[in-house]
C-alpha cells in the first residue's frame, strides 16, 4: 500500500513540475517548441511559378537611411515561409546600387512566428562579428530586417533578433537587442 502511495505521489510531483515549467516557458522555450510546426509549414507552398512583390530595405549609398528595393519572391501561403524568404533575400544583398545591411556570410538559422505576431529571426554570429561597426550601421541592420518583415507581412507586429538561438544585449555594441522591435518609418527615404 505504501509503495502505491509513493508511486502516486511521484507521478503527481512529476506532472505538477511539468505543468509549472510549461507555464513559465520563456520566449526561447517557445522557439524550441515551435520547430516541428515550422516543418509543417514548408509543405504549404503554393505553385512555385507564382510570384509576389515585396519591398526589401537596404542602406542608401551614404549609410544614413533605408531605401526600398522592389523584389519578386516565390509566392507562399504562410507568413513563416514568407518571412524566411525575405530574410534570406536581405542576406543575399541588394540587386541595385543600394548597400547591404547584413554582412556577407551571415546565415538564417531559423525563423519563427510566436503569439501576438512576434517574429523571431535567428541569425549566425557573423552578423555580429563582421559588422562594419558604428551605431548607425547597427541601426540600419536591425531595421532593414524589422521593416522588411513588418511592412510586407501583416501577421508580423514585432521582431525579435536572436544570435545562434540566444538573446544578445546588442548586435554590435549600440542598439539594445533585449526587446522586440517594431517598424520605424523615419529611417526610410
Amino acid at each position: 500500500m505504501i509503495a502505491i502511495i509513493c508511486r502516486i505521489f511521484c507521478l503527481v510531483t512529476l506532472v505538477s513540475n511539468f505543468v509549472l515549467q510549461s507555464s513559465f516557458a520563456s520566449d526561447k522555450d517557445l522557439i524550441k517548441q515551435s520547430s516541428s510546426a515550422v516543418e509543417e509549414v514548408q509543405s504549404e507552398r503554393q505553385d512555385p511559378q507564382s510570384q509576389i512583390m515585396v519591398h526589401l530595405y537596404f542602406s542608401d549609398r551614404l549609410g544614413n537611411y533605408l531605401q526600398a528595393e522592389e523584389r519578386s519572391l516565390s509566392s507562399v501561403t504562410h507568413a513563416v515561409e514568407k518571412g524566411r524568404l525575405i530574410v534570406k533575400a536581405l542576406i543575399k544583398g541588394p540587386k541595385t546600387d543600394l548597400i547591404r545591411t547584413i554582412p556577407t556570410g551571415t546565415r538564417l538559422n531559423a525563423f519563427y512566428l510566436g503569439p501576438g505576431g512576434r517574429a523571431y529571426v535567428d541569425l549566425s554570429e557573423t552578423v555580429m562579428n563582421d559588422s562594419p561597426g558604428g551605431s548607425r550601421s547597427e541601426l540600419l541592420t536591425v531595421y532593414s530586417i524589422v521593416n522588411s518583415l513588418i511592412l510586407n507581412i501583416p501577421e508580423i507586429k514585432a521582431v525579435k533578433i536572436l544570435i545562434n538561438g540566444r538573446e544578445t544585449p546588442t548586435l554590435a555594441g549600440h542598439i539594445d537587442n533585449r526587446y522586440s522591435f517594431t517598424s520605424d518609418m523615419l529611417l526610410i527615404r
Side-chain angles (χ1 to χ4, degrees), residues 27 30-31 112 114-121 142-143 146 150 156-162 167-169 175-183:
D27 288 343
L30 175 66
I31 291 169
Y112 306 96
R118 182 187 306 182
Y120 295 86
V121 178
V142 168
Y143 282 100
V146 172
I150 292 176
I156 297 177
K157 308 297 182 216
V159 176
K160 175 77 175 147
I161 299 173
L162 305 172
E167 292 182 348
T168 58
I175 309 302
D176 189 350
N177 194 38
R178 294 176 296 169
Y179 306 101
S180 299
F181 297 95
T182 58
S183 61

Side-chain angles (χ1 to χ4, degrees), residues 50-132:
S50 62
Q51 299 284 303
I52 57 168
M53 296 304 289
V54 297
H55 290 97
L56 303 179
Y57 293 92
F58 297 102
S59 175
D60 65 0
R61 302 282 299 152
L62 298 176
N64 292 323
Y65 296 99
L66 295 172
Q67 287 185 340
E69 177 181 286
E70 193 170 67
R71 188 81 64 88
S72 177
L73 299 177
S74 297
S75 180
V76 291
T77 59
H78 198 275
V80 171
E81 190 62 25
K82 188 174 180 182
R84 189 176 289 130
L85 290 173
I86 287 173
V87 175
K88 286 180 178 181
L90 287 171
I91 290 170
K92 287 181 183 176
K95 292 185 177 183
T96 61
D97 63 345
L98 297 175
I99 307 299
R100 75 172 35 255
T101 53
I102 300 174
T104 304
T106 301
R107 289 182 330 276
L108 175 63
N109 295 327
F111 184 90
Y112 306 96
L113 188 56
R118 182 187 306 182
Y120 295 86
V121 178
D122 182 9
L123 300 172
S124 64
E125 70 279 352
T126 306
V127 74
M128 291 173 51
N129 298 339
D130 293 352
S131 171

